[in-house]
Amino acid sequence: MKGGTMTRIALALAALLAALSLVAARQGRGLRVLSEVEDLESRMELQQAREDELVSRIRYLESRSVIVTRAQNELGMHNPEGEELQIWAGAGR
């Protein structure tokens, strides 16, 4: 082979190796980014589950049965009986 042909082959091989190196580097970066995205998604799912749990707890604490029980125990609330019970006109609207 002539010297010019060997040089061309060497340059083509160097270009091919450089291109493959760039592809490998980009793929490595892509895999790192994908890993970070998956980590963020799992953290978001965990936070969503925690939020759902807190909303459920709030709904329970806001329920009438909990409020009435706590008002009876902590504030001494009782249901009106006898003369305490008054019906006001127009209250049914």
Side-chain angles (χ1 to χ4, degrees):
M1 284 194 204
K2 294 183 181 178
T5 305
M6 288 296 281
T7 304
R8 286 186 200 148
I9 291 174
L11 287 174
L13 187 58
L16 177 66
L17 291 175
L20 289 175
S21 296
L22 287 174
V23 167
R26 286 180 119 188
Q27 187 174 14
R29 251 183 289 155
L31 290 174
R32 276 193 306 275
V33 168
L34 183 60
S35 174
E36 290 174 9
V37 166
E38 289 174 351
D39 181 50
L40 287 173
E41 285 176 345
S42 67
R43 288 171 51 192
M44 285 175 56
E45 288 173 3
L46 183 64
Q47 290 300 320
Q48 184 64 46
R50 186 160 191 261
E51 180 184 349
D52 292 344
E53 181 182 321
L54 292 173
V55 167
S56 175
R57 178 84 174 138
I58 289 169
R59 286 188 180 142
Y60 167 74
L61 291 173
E62 288 179 338
S63 70
R64 183 176 176 86
S65 62
V66 171
I67 291 173
V68 168
T69 303
R70 290 190 70 179
Q72 288 172 343
N73 294 338
E74 296 177 18
L75 304 174
M77 184 188 90
H78 65 279
N79 291 331
E81 297 174 359
E83 293 181 8
E84 295 176 330
L85 187 59
Q86 297 178 4
I87 299 175
W88 295 356
R93 285 191 240 166

